[in-house]
Amino acid sequence: MKFTLSWLKDHLDTQASLDEILVALTQVGLEVEGVEDPAAKLGAFRIARILTAERHPQADKLQILSVDTGEGDPLQVVCGAPNARAGLVGVFGAPGTYVPGIDVTLKVAAIRGVESRGMMCSMRELELSDAHEGIIELPADAPVGEVFAEYAGLDDPLIDVAITPNRQDCMGVRGIARDLAAAGLGELKPLDVPTIRGNFPCPIEIRIEDAEGCPAYFGRVVRGVKNGPSPEWLANRLKAVGQRPISALVDITNYVMLDHGRPLHVYDLATLKGALVARRARDGETVLALNGKTYALDPEITVIADDVGVHDVGGIMGGEHSGVTETTTDVVIECAFFTPEHIARTGQKLGLTSDARSRFERGVDPAFLGDGLAIATRLVQQLCGGEASEVVEAGEPPLAVRTLRFDPNLTEQLAGLAVPADRQRAILSRLGFGVDAGWTVLIPSWRRDVDGPADLVEEVVRIEGIDKVPSMPLPRAEGVAKPTATAAQLVERKARRTAAARGLNEAVTWSFVSEAEAAAFGGGAWTLANPISEDLKVMRPSLLPGLIAAAKRNADRGATAIRLFEIGRRYLADAERPTLGFVLAGEKSPRNWQTGRATGFDAYDAKAEAIAILAAVGAPVDRLQLMEAVSPVYHPGRSASLRLGPKTVLAEFGELHPATARAFDVEGTVIAGEIHLDAIPAKRASGFMRTAYRPPALQPVTRDFAFLLPADKAADELVRAVKGADKVAIIDARLFDLFTGQGVPEGQKSLAIEVTLQPAEKTFTDADLQAITAKVVAAAAKLGATLRG
């Protein structure tokens, strides 16, 4: 929400300085996002008069001007503006002045061989408008030498505040002034609402057929208007806040919307056929909106239509067909109340945003329909003339009286801030609440966000000053603090520290993704009914969409080695699943004189990360089985999963499938993985004391075995079978060689396994070793493996 300081003072009688106002705004919950002082960037430009204008000897379209700047001798300026002439009073920039519209700092320069010492400026060069046909022309009596910004009234600071969705009352300047008045920065000026009697019956029928979407629809006709450019004060005020002046009639509606938070619309009466009706759209209907786009409508959308067709997407945007033009002579001014939830759904469905929608979906003041219409009618008559009809009031705005019983002691109980009862009553009264002697509080019509005593406490505290809430230490039990982290929290903590220690950078991404991103991962089980954006609509089924998008953004900005991880939740149909996701992209190691060109990541790097993190959090990595990946987002030949048995998947990892990479528009090889933290078996409770470590008294013994195994069998199966052949004597088994080729039959592979044996009470005898060897060979034989001779 943007407004100027002078605009604010139209509603607030105050002597406070700009800095005091900015501090107060933030203190009452209206965070100041920025302040722009136009005078600061235009302060070096002065009013100047052209004394003489002569043709440039080397260029037909240039003139040599003699300019009186009000200081010292006249300066010579070369100018190409067609309207430059002797006697013209304009705006001059001296050498050393920065010109914002062309991003240039002026200096003394020779133009076609003639020295130029400054510049006569156009409106576009000063960023005052898009006009650049010639230099600025000021009245002949404009004071030469005076600062142009002060003369033109441009020394009016622009304030930009962030309005939270619950503060619909501050979507207009008057609501902001009311908050500042309550905070003690001045007095809220009385609202001047005119009484405009109709001189003739309204010539057009106005009615409602969709009371759910549009409970109230007020309107009147003003005939005999003359539409044209807005007066300077209105155009300047709109331009200051980023609105483009269009015409007086349109600018009036925008002004009332910004001034009072009340959207309005004007129709050209000549374009309407029959009654003006608020109804539901019909199948197949479309509307060409003021933004030049055509929208297909359906019966869930409220529209404003006549007997021929649709003219307006109700509460969001008007149509081109019935818009006012320079030839308009009779207008219909409408002031309606649209149901906030209905507006929000319509805007999301059509992907259509507007200033009107942002106010209606928050909820405008239902009691301000008549007043808003009267204020707009007065402005139309003042600026465009015309004669007003009687007002048609179709429907009833939702004006139910809402009251609350309030105990002023709640403020200290809930917020910890002691505020005298009289002070609380004064704060609520200045905010527009009615408070009787028994503390029954009447809620004003413009505060639909207040529905309980806690909301009143919030109002008191934010005006009194949240900085006055005393700091209080949280209570804690005496003695040594007891651990409070749950087993799941400890697992996440260890996983986070391990991933960071291994060189991965933690990322925090949205828990919501777009439908397209979710579809690449099989689709999401949960879709938000009221998302903040269409790109954040589906609860993520995986952490990888956010991480892949983050990796792409980093790569687009020049990052060459990307190592990201995130711990969060996947939202599946049955539950929320705590997960650690990671992405590796770019260069694993940069090019250097030893290895030559840079090397990239592969699936084995992902496997190493997964096993290291699982080991750190206590997963039984020695019992994990390596199987194919479950998810189709990975490359089928360059991915795998780590499991405890065929059903319990602890991790998936590998290279992204080319189709997945294309869906996210990423280039190059991307390695990713997810560790399912909730699938890790919980440790058995054994107290806080570890048993003393007692190393074996005897040294271990190693034996090597070479087996021939069918080529389609996984080596991991053989290693696990060998390790389980004698669970007492064999403490480890690992693969150390794989060979195919000469000497190995076709369709088979040679696997060499090192088996570690640990004697217990005595050393192994030859008979013991032969017995263990027989068990190993027998276990391998069950898989179809034979001992290689």
Side-chain angles (χ1 to χ4, degrees), residues 109 121 129 169 206 270 398 438 442 470 500 523 586 617 643-645 650 655 698 750:
C121 302
S129 76
D169 59 306
I206 297 175
L442 176 66
V617 299
R643 312 190 193 190
L644 283 174
L650 267 62
E655 181 181 329
L698 302 174
S750 174

Side-chain angles (χ1 to χ4, degrees), residues 166 298 317 456 606 671 688 776:
N166 64 313
D298 63 47
M317 188 171 289
L456 298 178
I671 307 299
F688 292 102
V776 170

Side-chain angles (χ1 to χ4, degrees), residues 700-707 722 730 732-734 736 752-758 764-766 768-770 772-773 776:
V701 178
T702 61
R703 288 290 185 269
D704 294 342
F705 296 83
F707 292 101
V722 169
I730 299 176
D732 192 21
R734 70 179 186 88
F736 70 87
I753 298 175
E754 179 187 79
V755 179
T756 303
L757 310 174
Q758 178 60 59
F764 292 120
T765 63
D766 288 342
D768 294 333
L769 294 175
Q770 289 177 0
I772 295 172
T773 299
V776 170

Side-chain angles (χ1 to χ4, degrees), residues 206-219 262-263 265 267 276-281 299-305 312-316 334-346 360 364 366 369 392-399:
I206 297 175
R207 69 174 188 268
I208 296 173
E209 294 179 359
D210 176 24
E212 180 185 357
C214 179
Y217 192 60
F218 291 10
R262 158 46 65 185
H265 191 64
Y267 299 92
L276 199 58
V277 185
R279 63 168 173 85
R280 293 294 178 97
E300 294 183 359
I301 296 174
T302 300
V303 298
I304 307 300
D312 188 358
V313 181
I316 299 181
E334 65 93 344
C335 187
F337 182 88
F338 295 94
T339 305
E341 296 79 8
H342 195 76
I343 291 293
R345 288 192 296 268
T346 298
F360 275 124
V364 299
L369 271 72
V392 176
E393 298 183 355
E396 291 289 338
L399 292 175

Side-chain angles (χ1 to χ4, degrees), residues 500-513:
R502 292 182 61 81
L504 276 68
N505 298 305
E506 186 171 11
V508 179
T509 66
W510 288 100
S511 297
F512 318 104
V513 296

Side-chain angles (χ1 to χ4, degrees), residues 582 584 602-611 653-655 671-673:
F582 62 89
L584 308 173
D602 58 26
Y604 292 103
D605 296 307
K607 178 184 177 182
E609 299 297 340
I611 290 178
F653 56 86
E655 181 181 329
I671 307 299

Side-chain angles (χ1 to χ4, degrees), residues 528-596:
L528 301 186
N530 185 25
I532 61 176
S533 166
E534 285 297 309
D535 291 334
L536 300 172
K537 188 174 184 178
V538 181
M539 302 293 287
R540 63 185 178 193
S542 166
L543 271 65
L544 296 185
L547 287 171
I548 295 170
K552 182 181 185 306
R553 285 193 297 272
N554 279 271
D556 291 344
R557 287 158 177 77
T560 56
I562 301 169
R563 298 174 172 87
L564 299 176
F565 82 95
E566 180 177 13
I567 293 179
R569 300 291 187 269
R570 295 177 297 136
Y571 299 92
L572 308 182
D574 57 341
E576 299 179 16
R577 301 292 184 184
T579 306
L580 185 148
F582 62 89
V583 167
L584 308 173
E587 299 176 355
K588 177 182 177 182
S589 59
R591 61 182 181 176
N592 60 71
W593 64 272
Q594 291 176 308
T595 60

Side-chain angles (χ1 to χ4, degrees), residues 67-133:
V67 177
D68 176 13
T69 64
E71 296 181 356
D73 296 332
L75 298 179
Q76 179 173 282
V77 174
V78 177
C79 179
N83 64 330
R85 63 187 184 275
L88 182 145
V89 178
V91 180
F92 173 74
T97 301
Y98 174 73
V99 184
I102 56 175
D103 191 25
V104 167
T105 299
L106 300 176
K107 59 183 179 180
V108 178
I111 300 177
R112 294 289 185 93
V114 177
E115 184 180 77
S116 179
R117 306 185 66 83
M119 177 182 187
M120 296 297 291
C121 302
S122 69
M123 297 289 282
R124 188 169 70 174
E125 288 158 349
L126 299 188
E127 294 186 333
L128 298 178
S129 76
D130 293 332
H132 62 286
E133 296 80 9

